[in-house]
Amino acid sequence: MLEKRKPIPVGEAVQRVMEYAFQEKKELVPLLQAHGRFLAEDVAADADVPAFDRSPYDGFAIRSVDSNDASSENPVTFKVVGEIGAGFVFEDTVGQLEAVRIMTGAPIPKGCDAVVMLELAHTFEENNEMYMSIKRTFEAGTNISYKGEDVQKGAILLEKGQYINPGAVALLATFGYDQVPVFRKPIIGVIATGSELLEPGESLQPGKIRNSNAYMMMAQIERAGATAKYFGKFSDDLNVCIDVVKNALEEVDLLITTGGVSVGDYDYLPAIYEAIEANVLFNKVAMRPGSVTTVAARGEKVLFGLSGNPSACFVGFELFVRPIIRTAFSNKQPHLRRESAVLGADFTKANPFTRFVRATVSYDNGQLVAVPSGFDKSSAVSSLVEANALIVLPGGSRGYEKGMQIDVLLLEDLQGSEWPWNNIVKSYK
Amino acid sequence: MLEKRKPIPVGEAVQRVMEYAFQEKKELVPLLQAHGRFLAEDVAADADVPAFDRSPYDGFAIRSVDSNDASSENPVTFKVVGEIGAGFVFEDTVGQLEAVRIMTGAPIPKGCDAVVMLELAHTFEENNEMYMSIKRTFEAGTNISYKGEDVQKGAILLEKGQYINPGAVALLATFGYDQVPVFRKPIIGVIATGSELLEPGESLQPGKIRNSNAYMMMAQIERAGATAKYFGKFSDDLNVCIDVVKNALEEVDLLITTGGVSVGDYDYLPAIYEAIEANVLFNKVAMRPGSVTTVAARGEKVLFGLSGNPSACFVGFELFVRPIIRTAFSNKQPHLRRESAVLGADFTKANPFTRFVRATVSYDNGQLVAVPSGFDKSSAVSSLVEANALIVLPGGSRGYEKGMQIDVLLLEDLQGSEWPWNNIVKSYK
């Protein structure tokens, strides 16, 4: 009477989902809106940086050879023959024992090969002429930023798929990208299931709870870089649900439902998948929480059936949905970043399935330590706030003790992993 | 002729700025827009979670006492007297050897004190009645999520100043916050200075460079949680600049200028500060890059005069502007997060001033390792992209070697530090 489901290992489940990964279209956005997006093209330098030899400091440009005899006992005096501000070009050639007052960023005048920092020059006026003297020698090249020493013309500066952080914005500005090619944000649909659900604005009623998963997930979607579209709650009428799913699929790139995937009689997501002729990729994963996670595909579009349990829903999103979003941005490390950490508390409960424990990672003298966040029954909502990582505990017959080396997946990281699932999770037999 | 400036230690400079810290006004935003903002009020639970004893699984609710004699050899059979979906309430009291089919999240019926998971029950029909049998005992409390076991009514769940991550969104939804009190985003004005500057959309010209600092900083402002307002580039006419600054101050909470703070003749920011009667808090800091960083205050508003050098500008923003933005959100850890790390490469250049080196931190088996990012002349722009931390090297007469324990300030972290400046940076004498 009840369907028997065969659990598959997490890595295999992620792999089946990733077969449906796609790349988003490009769009151009103004530079001021590019922060937080992902580059849709390689960015190459259109010019050297610096574009000319320039002074990194305020001071005096000189011919270094003229400073050869300078010392405390024997200061050398230069005649100041001009000055040059950043943005301007000094047209003459500088001669013997001549100096040009130069501002930070200004081009080095012809003839000069060193800059004396302002603080090291003694300036004075005599007969309406300006002079400056120095008490040490300056080697050729002192305080000169050479053309192309930072970036050479033609160099690939940023690769397609790069996350645009403030430093990347600076580079884009430097190379004239006032419009930036970025990947469009995929649109991820969200539908909640459950007769027990109230929206956050509704008053509590006996037996009912407020819908938190859909809102949590919309924030996760935003954090992953995509746009969320909320379709509200499923009706109790199966045919209505089928229409809602069909219509939603027209408007979104991926569709997520929360709840309705258990083996219970009231959970008719399997019936919906059948009705819309979606191909179920898996409906049981060897993991806790979230073993009932179900993923189906209809044509090129993936339907994620996440558990209605808040932790399972949270974990399911990060493991299965996030990487497909990041891959749409051509990002090469679309999965959660995996690192090694010291377990900061006992976790004695053994489990045949791989367990993902919400955790707070911190540093003990630079060493990553992971402590399970608060109360850990899988229905707990409050520990989700503190969690900035998931501890991965491979399934087995024993618990884990404080001080053991374990793997963590970092939630608030921008870097990600290329494929975190090798040698991390034992296969479930 | 030239002004002599006295450098002050970084910690003291930050402290002088923080005396002008302020708290922003509150505003209500819809829950769907709350992600990434900061809570302007404590959030307390308006009800227990769970709000009633409920089943965490699909299965059968029973009286545990009835299972006392069950075993493989002696299965005990229950009559299924009803079923209850999530969101509904079972009105009758369950009697001896009776069971109720119960869905995940549904309230436990009166009389029952345990739930048998569906997988452990054998169901069958006889004479149009439903039955189920079990082969083991279930203790009282098995598979029951008790009222209030996750969160108790009245408990403070989130404190004012909390960053709203997806977990916090879930909590807000659970407790009915369809409108969320958050701090308004302060408006930070940005003005670029320098005759050499072109906007990103302009073609390069001899001696000129494109303005990257203003755009970089607007991304940093956004990352810190505030709103940037760009006032373009300063005119070459001092009186026009004075008017621009005066007018900008009417529209913003803080004003940042980049460039124009060196001791050079062309840098007239000091003249502007004087003209608008701003009080200069400091104009030299014992740090590299950014020693010329100048901060002034006019009334309650702070004017940040950051260096025109890209690295100095970047560092100056993170050290001086970020904490005042985060404090506007009542955040208790407004400064960059400080951690200990292993230096991953030699840094042999000694400096009398404390040096902030852009760096990439990564993990070596869970141990934080910091490597200076790329080419490290202070004019380099490209290394800013990779940098996710600043290495802090206290000033002194020696360099630093690979393997030494050093301090880092993390740039892409959400947590921050309360005050990172104790015992980190030696005073400059």
Side-chain angles (χ1 to χ4, degrees), chain A residues 47-56 105-106 144-153 174-175, chain B residues 204 208-209 375 377 379-381:
Chain A
D48 286 335
V49 173
F52 44 85
D53 296 349
R54 72 182 174 199
S55 174
I144 292 184
S145 294
Y146 285 103
K147 182 172 192 286
E149 81 171 12
D150 190 0
V151 177
Q152 294 196 305
K153 184 174 172 175
T174 300
F175 294 98
Chain B
L204 282 181
K208 308 250 179 190
I209 57 170
F375 183 72
K377 278 194 102 167
S379 61
V381 153

Side-chain angles (χ1 to χ4, degrees), chain A residues 145-287:
Chain A
S145 294
Y146 285 103
K147 182 172 192 286
E149 81 171 12
D150 190 0
V151 177
Q152 294 196 305
K153 184 174 172 175
I156 298 291
L157 302 166
L158 298 169
E159 288 186 8
K160 183 169 122 173
Q162 163 81 42
Y163 175 79
I164 301 175
N165 65 12
V169 169
L171 266 192
L172 290 164
T174 300
F175 294 98
Y177 285 77
D178 59 332
Q179 298 285 316
V180 183
V182 298
F183 285 109
R184 200 183 72 102
K185 294 183 176 195
I187 297 166
I188 317 293
V190 175
I191 301 176
T193 75
S195 310
E196 74 280 22
L197 295 183
L198 302 167
E199 289 298 302
E202 297 182 271
S203 296
L204 283 180
Q205 297 162 28
K208 308 250 180 190
I209 58 169
R210 294 207 188 85
N211 174 9
S212 60
N213 285 347
Y215 291 87
M216 175 179 74
M217 218 157 32
M218 287 190 277
Q220 288 176 284
I221 288 168
E222 192 176 301
R223 178 164 75 181
T227 298
K229 189 173 170 95
Y230 187 37
F231 291 90
K233 212 181 72 173
F234 263 150
S235 148
D236 287 334
D237 180 331
L238 180 61
N239 287 320
V240 173
C241 296
I242 292 168
D243 284 344
V244 167
V245 168
K246 274 187 183 167
N247 293 333
L249 280 173
E250 300 295 312
E251 297 179 43
V252 301
D253 295 297
L254 302 171
L255 184 62
I256 306 176
T257 51
T258 71
V261 285
S262 296
V263 197
D265 300 348
Y266 283 40
D267 296 330
Y268 42 60
L269 222 53
I272 295 173
Y273 292 146
E274 205 180 314
I276 64 167
E277 295 178 358
N279 169 31
V280 174
L281 308 184
F282 54 83
N283 60 14
K284 184 128 187 157
V285 186
M287 62 186 273

Side-chain angles (χ1 to χ4, degrees), chain A residues 102-117:
Chain A
I102 191 167
M103 308 302 157
T104 304
I108 305 296
K110 279 185 293 249
C112 295
D113 62 357
V115 170
V116 177
M117 284 173 79

Side-chain angles (χ1 to χ4, degrees), chain B residues 85 108 118 130 181 183 196 200 240 306 397 404 420:
Chain B
I108 305 295
L118 205 57
M130 283 293 300
F183 284 109
E196 76 279 22
V240 172
L306 302 185
S397 52
M404 288 175 84

Side-chain angles (χ1 to χ4, degrees), chain A residues 355-411:
Chain A
R355 186 175 273 277
F356 293 90
V357 186
R358 286 153 290 141
T360 306
V361 290
S362 58
Y363 300 94
D364 178 9
N365 209 23
Q367 170 65 51
L368 210 53
V369 177
V371 178
S373 310
F375 183 73
D376 204 77
K377 278 195 100 165
S378 62
S379 62
V381 152
S382 57
S383 61
L384 288 177
V385 179
E386 302 151 31
N388 57 13
L390 301 172
I391 294 175
V392 186
L393 300 176
S397 52
R398 65 195 176 90
Y400 291 83
E401 281 158 37
K402 184 175 168 172
M404 288 175 86
Q405 200 78 17
I406 43 91
D407 285 303
V408 290
L409 299 172
L410 304 181
L411 294 167

